[in-house]
Amino acid sequence: MVCNTFKKGHNGKLRTLRLQYNEIDSRGVKKLWDVVQGGALPGLRRVELNGNKFSEDDEAVESLRVELEKRREEAGKEGEEGEWGIDELDELEEESDEEEEADSEKEEQKDSEDEVEAKAESIVRDAEEAEGMKVSQKKDDEVDALAEKMGKTEMV
């Protein structure tokens, strides 16, 4: 969503983009790279991405690093290390096995919910069919006699 806003080109003076600890994955970094590559952020000098969910070796990260280094060299700012480039990516999270398992469990749960819903629909359909069936109207004398006796009983 942020990248779509940046693509509009109204942020040309933006120098530093602080996106640490936002659960950004490699697709998000790729979208950011597409924005930078497209020229929508011509003043961008530094991107802070530490604490997100992608690999430091991701192609889009490397492309961003190279582009920001190129901009620094073009500006002739050799010594200003902290104002240019990408921050240290020492606290990145990669999508863990637990998250993959959680995603898998969610899919299984959805499948299970779909099965339950299908079974419930089947039961309702069967009940509606049973309601429409004709029932014998004969009286059963034994049942009526039992019902009459039970009506006369009391609980003590």
Side-chain angles (χ1 to χ4, degrees):
M1 188 180 291
V2 171
C3 289
N4 291 337
T5 301
F6 288 151
K7 283 182 182 178
K8 293 178 183 177
H10 301 295
N11 298 290
K13 293 182 180 181
L14 183 69
R15 299 279 185 249
T16 302
L17 191 53
R18 293 187 172 108
L19 299 171
Q20 306 101 318
Y21 302 98
N22 281 297
E23 309 249 341
I24 297 170
D25 60 14
S26 60
R27 294 178 308 217
V29 177
K30 171 75 171 94
K31 287 181 182 181
L32 179 60
W33 166 240
D34 291 342
V35 169
V36 171
Q37 184 181 25
L41 296 172
L44 189 65
R45 295 179 175 185
R46 182 162 178 82
V47 179
E48 297 177 1
L49 292 168
N50 199 22
N52 287 294
K53 295 185 173 190
F54 55 84
S55 169
E56 186 174 357
D57 301 327
D58 191 280
E59 187 177 322
V61 173
E62 189 57 33
S63 297
L64 266 172
R65 184 176 281 125
V66 168
E67 175 64 22
L68 295 174
E69 180 63 28
K70 181 178 133 188
R71 289 180 181 190
R72 186 178 92 172
E73 289 172 5
E74 288 174 355
K77 306 288 183 177
E78 289 297 322
E80 299 178 31
E81 191 73 32
E83 293 181 25
W84 295 85
I86 294 179
D87 62 332
E88 287 186 34
L89 300 176
D90 57 352
E91 294 182 27
L92 290 178
E93 297 178 34
E94 293 201 30
E95 191 163 11
S96 68
D97 292 337
E98 290 176 8
E99 290 172 339
E100 290 173 8
E101 285 178 25
D103 291 343
S104 177
E105 287 176 12
K106 285 179 185 177
E107 287 180 26
E108 288 175 13
Q109 183 179 5
K110 185 177 183 292
D111 291 343
S112 176
E113 289 172 359
D114 291 343
E115 289 174 16
V116 169
E117 188 175 325
K119 187 172 183 177
E121 288 175 4
S122 173
I123 291 171
V124 169
R125 189 173 39 254
D126 291 346
E128 288 173 349
E129 286 177 15
E131 271 185 15
M133 295 178 75
K134 293 185 179 185
V135 179
S136 172
Q137 296 298 322
K138 293 182 186 176
K139 287 192 172 188
D140 189 344
D141 292 332
E142 290 179 18
V143 173
D144 289 341
L146 180 59
E148 190 176 320
K149 286 181 186 177
M150 289 182 75
K152 294 178 184 177
T153 60
E154 292 183 18
M155 295 206 97
V156 183

